[in-house]
């Protein structure tokens, strides 16, 4: 009896193409995404109208962030000095494993059984919920969108709007299935259901975890922006507050928030400023009535210094995670956020993921772009996203990460272009074969008619004319 042949799992690139193909032809999925993104785009256009000179604001923000990134070590040390002076603690984590190890030590010391967590992409990046779950610790997402996708066992769909792919009816079904409530499609009632469940979690949790939108160097503070107030509750009720923040989130001065907060909110949701904006400068001080007994900031590298070491690409670290590039991207609007299989999706995710998680496994993301430049045009800190995508592609080729078949086809084409007499000697059938192999590698021919060369070359036609 012959044993079955072992099957190999598809590569991330192959899986990406399969998932993208499926999502692009899922008309209901596309309807939901375009409807939800359309509402955001309308709000953003209204929000931009409040700026007297939006381009000037973008230029100033780009200058400040670039200045910080080019002197990142100095600003981070300044933040640490000022933050620890008020009783806070700073932990430097080189990768996800170190960050999780530090979180685990805090949980053991606090004998924590419940954690309340505000919306944070860095915690998604290090898979914090999975880590805590393995240790028997309940980790509750308190952002409504994050709470919904956590109930449904999914990853966030969008940097700003985790449940963008779900309709109101989808959410009602999720609540019925996982919370056992009576079915209702009343949005207000669904929100009240989640709020009632979460209230008791805030008071029971030993530890609260947030991210951080900005690290303020001159004050030694973490700034958090939100619309629901759950981050404030997560940071106030528990005795320990942990903020896990990427090292690139630094801004020089407290007063710079008057530039960055409106840019972030307008580009992300169209608001002049988000509802709740909080500055955390450390644990509860003497004579203060509320706040945590201890506050710990974990500064996460996790591949960011890989980008920092590349001057032609480090501008990607300027990103303030507004999500504007996702909302405008024609590729994202067709294939959706989950297809990317990465913490950060869309154009900016395609730029940074290969450097955070490895170029070999993630180079395909830099090809998931039409290079239309729409992402660059809306970025509030003027990151040249489509140019960096091209540089990522160039790097993957230079590192020899392309397929052998593709390299052979390109080599053959290049030789023909440099030695036209060879190309002219080949019959049209041979040229068509080369084109079919070359274009087949990039998927050009999958849904298009095959490219056919003319039976006679231009040189032959020119000779006949003369």
């Amino acid at each position: 009896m012959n044993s079955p042949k072992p099957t190999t799992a598809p590569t991330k690139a192959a899986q990406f193409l399969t998932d993208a193909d499926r999502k692009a032809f899922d008309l209901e999925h596309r309807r939901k995404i375009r409807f939800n993104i359309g509402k955001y785009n309308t709000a953003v256009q209204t929000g931009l109208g409040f700026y007297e000179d939006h381009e000037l604001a973008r230029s100033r923000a780009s200058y400040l962030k670039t200045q910080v990134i080019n002197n990142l070590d100095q600003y981070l040390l300044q933040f640490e000095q000022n933050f620890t002076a008020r009783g806070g603690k700073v932990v430097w984590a080189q990768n996800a494993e170190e960050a999780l190890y530090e979180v685990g030590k805090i949980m053991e010391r606090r004998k924590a059984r419940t954690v309340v967590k505000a919306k944070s992409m860095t915690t998604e990046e290090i898979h914090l919920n999975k880590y805590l779950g393995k240790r028997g610790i309940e980790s509750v997402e308190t952002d409504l969108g994050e709470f919904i996708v956590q109930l449904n066992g999914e990853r966030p769909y969008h940097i700003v709007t985790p449940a963008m792919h779900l309709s109101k009816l989808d959410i009602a079904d999720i609540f019925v299935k996982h919370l056992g409530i009576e079915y209702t499609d009343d949005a207000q009632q669904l929100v009240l259901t989640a709020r009632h469940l979460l209230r008791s979690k805030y008071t029971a949790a030993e530890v609260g975890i947030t991210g951080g939108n900005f690290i303020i160097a001159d004050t030694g503070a973490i700034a958090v922006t939100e619309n629901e107030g759950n981050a404030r509750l997560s940071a106030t009720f528990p005795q320990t507050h942990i903020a896990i923040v990427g090292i690139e989130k630094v801004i020089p001065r407290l007063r710079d928030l008057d530039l960055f907060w409106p840019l972030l909110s307008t580009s992300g949701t169209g608001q002049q400023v988000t509802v709740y904006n909080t500055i955390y400068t450390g644990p509860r001080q003497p004579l203060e009535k509320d706040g945590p007994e201890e506050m710990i900031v974990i500064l996460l590298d996790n591949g960011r210094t890989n980008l920092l070491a590349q001057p032609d690409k480090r501008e990607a670290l300027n990103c303030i995670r507004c999500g504007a590039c996702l909302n405008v991207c024609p590729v994202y609007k067709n294939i959706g956020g989950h297809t990317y299989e990465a913490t950060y999706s869309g154009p900016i995710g395609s730029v940074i993921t290969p450097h955070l998680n490895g170029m070999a496994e993630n180079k395909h993301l830099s090809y998931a772009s039409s290079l239309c430049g729409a992402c660059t045009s809306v970025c509030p800190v003027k990151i040249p996203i489509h140019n960096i995508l091209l540089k990522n592609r160039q790097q993957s080729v230079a590192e020899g990460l392309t397929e052998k078949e593709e390299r052979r086809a390109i080599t053959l084409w290049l030789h023909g272009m440099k030695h036209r007499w060879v190309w002219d000697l080949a019959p049209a059938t041979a040229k068509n074969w080369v084109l079919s192999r070359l274009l087949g590698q990039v998927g050009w021919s999958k849904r298009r008619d095959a490219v056919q060369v003319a039976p006679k070359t231009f040189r032959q036609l020119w000779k006949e004319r003369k």
Side-chain angles (χ1 to χ4, degrees):
M1 180 177 178
N2 294 328
S3 59
K5 294 181 179 179
T7 57
T8 57
T11 63
K12 290 183 71 174
Q15 189 63 50
F16 175 84
L17 292 175
T18 300
D19 293 344
D21 204 48
R22 178 170 52 84
K23 284 296 185 183
F25 288 90
D26 184 341
L27 298 183
E28 178 61 15
H29 170 262
R30 288 173 63 179
R31 182 194 67 78
K32 293 175 186 175
I33 299 312
R34 295 191 177 198
F35 174 77
N36 288 328
I37 288 180
K39 291 195 299 182
Y40 274 92
N41 288 341
T42 300
V44 168
Q45 286 305 310
T46 302
L48 292 176
F50 291 107
Y51 271 93
E52 181 177 336
D53 193 337
H54 184 244
E55 281 302 305
L56 179 59
R58 292 176 71 211
S59 296
R60 286 178 174 173
S62 175
Y63 171 79
L64 284 173
K65 284 295 292 181
T66 300
Q67 181 187 47
V68 167
I69 294 302
N70 288 336
N71 300 278
L72 189 57
D73 55 341
Q74 299 174 29
Y75 284 103
L76 287 172
L77 291 173
Q78 182 185 9
F79 161 77
E80 181 182 37
Q81 180 181 6
N82 292 327
F83 183 72
T84 54
R86 289 178 58 84
K89 181 181 178 183
V90 173
V91 175
W92 300 75
Q94 186 173 348
N95 50 44
E97 290 73 22
E98 289 187 6
L100 293 173
Y101 174 75
E102 294 294 337
V103 170
K105 288 200 303 183
I106 298 168
M107 298 299 160
E108 289 180 4
R109 177 165 52 80
R110 280 291 179 182
K111 295 181 173 57
R113 306 314 314 157
T114 304
V115 169
V116 283
K117 201 171 143 299
K119 185 179 182 303
S120 163
M121 294 307 294
T122 49
T123 57
E124 292 292 336
E125 184 182 334
I126 64 175
H127 306 294
L128 179 62
N129 286 345
K130 182 178 179 181
Y131 172 81
L132 294 176
K134 287 182 177 179
R135 299 172 71 93
I137 300 171
E138 181 187 22
S139 179
V140 183
E141 295 286 355
T142 62
D143 173 85
L144 181 58
E146 293 274 3
F147 177 72
I148 292 166
V149 296
Q150 184 184 35
L151 278 180
N152 209 35
E154 294 181 305
R155 292 179 292 103
Y157 186 90
H158 187 282
I159 291 175
V160 174
T161 318
M164 179 180 276
H165 61 303
L166 300 173
S167 67
K168 182 172 63 175
L169 298 180
D170 293 330
I171 296 169
D173 289 337
I174 291 170
F175 276 34
V176 170
K177 179 180 178 181
H178 296 284
L179 299 180
I181 67 169
E182 185 177 344
Y183 182 87
T184 176
D185 60 359
D186 183 339
Q188 186 174 4
Q189 187 59 45
L190 291 172
V191 171
L192 289 174
T193 299
R195 181 180 295 172
H196 176 73
L197 187 148
L198 290 172
R199 286 292 173 176
S200 61
K201 300 294 183 181
Y202 292 120
T203 55
E206 296 86 359
V207 176
I209 298 178
T210 70
N213 296 94
F214 301 103
I215 299 170
I216 308 169
D218 75 334
T219 310
I222 300 293
V224 175
T225 181
E226 53 169 334
N227 276 314
E228 299 172 15
N230 53 73
R232 283 188 179 180
L233 293 171
S234 298
T236 302
F237 279 103
Q239 296 301 304
T240 298
H241 173 199
I242 304 173
I244 305 176
V245 193
I247 57 174
E248 81 282 13
K249 293 296 187 70
V250 185
I251 58 174
R253 298 168 295 274
L254 182 66
R255 70 185 185 200
D256 295 327
L257 286 173
D258 72 349
L259 172 65
F260 284 101
W261 263 343
L263 276 175
L264 175 60
S265 58
T266 301
S267 297
T269 59
Q271 297 167 276
Q272 288 179 272
V273 69
T274 45
V275 179
Y276 299 98
N277 294 284
T278 313
I279 300 169
Y280 299 100
T281 57
R284 183 171 68 240
Q285 301 296 302
L287 303 181
E288 290 182 346
K289 295 182 179 181
D290 56 19
E293 290 180 0
E294 62 175 351
M295 180 176 176
I296 301 154
V297 173
I298 298 178
L299 296 174
L300 182 67
D301 179 348
N302 207 34
R304 286 159 175 80
T305 49
N306 293 336
L307 264 174
L308 188 63
Q310 303 179 65
D312 61 333
K313 303 185 188 75
R314 68 169 59 149
E315 204 169 349
L317 293 173
N318 290 1
C319 177
I320 59 174
R321 305 290 191 268
C322 67
C325 61
L326 283 69
N327 296 340
V328 78
C329 176
V331 175
Y332 183 90
K333 285 191 284 189
N334 279 284
I335 68 173
H338 287 157
T339 303
Y340 291 81
E341 282 292 334
T343 302
Y344 306 103
S345 55
I348 191 62
S350 297
V351 165
I352 66 177
T353 301
H355 301 283
L356 300 185
N357 299 337
M359 182 66 72
E361 290 187 350
N362 298 282
K363 67 179 179 63
H364 62 281
L365 296 178
S366 297
Y367 292 83
S369 170
S370 65
L371 298 178
C372 64
C375 50
T376 299
S377 69
V378 299
C379 177
V381 289
K382 304 188 78 169
I383 301 171
I385 296 175
H386 67 293
N387 286 337
I388 303 178
L389 287 171
L390 279 174
K391 291 174 181 177
N392 278 359
R393 297 180 187 185
Q394 184 183 41
Q395 180 179 339
S396 70
V397 172
E399 293 179 0
L401 299 177
T402 50
E403 302 293 334
K404 290 182 179 179
E405 188 74 14
E406 181 182 346
R407 292 200 296 271
R408 290 194 190 102
I410 291 292
T411 300
L412 184 59
W413 171 83
L414 184 61
H415 184 78
M417 290 296 98
K418 288 183 175 180
H419 306 86
R420 284 307 304 267
W421 63 272
V422 176
W423 190 243
D424 289 342
L425 285 176
T429 53
K431 297 173 185 176
N432 288 333
W433 178 83
V434 173
L435 285 173
S436 68
R437 298 302 295 267
L438 176 61
L439 297 178
Q441 286 292 315
V442 296
W444 177 269
S445 305
K446 186 173 183 179
R447 302 191 187 279
R448 300 177 179 88
D449 292 335
V451 176
Q452 299 287 325
V453 300
K456 293 183 179 180
T457 67
F458 174 79
R459 182 176 295 179
Q460 290 170 327
L461 292 173
W462 187 255
K463 284 183 178 180
E464 290 175 5
R465 182 177 178 179
K466 292 178 68 175

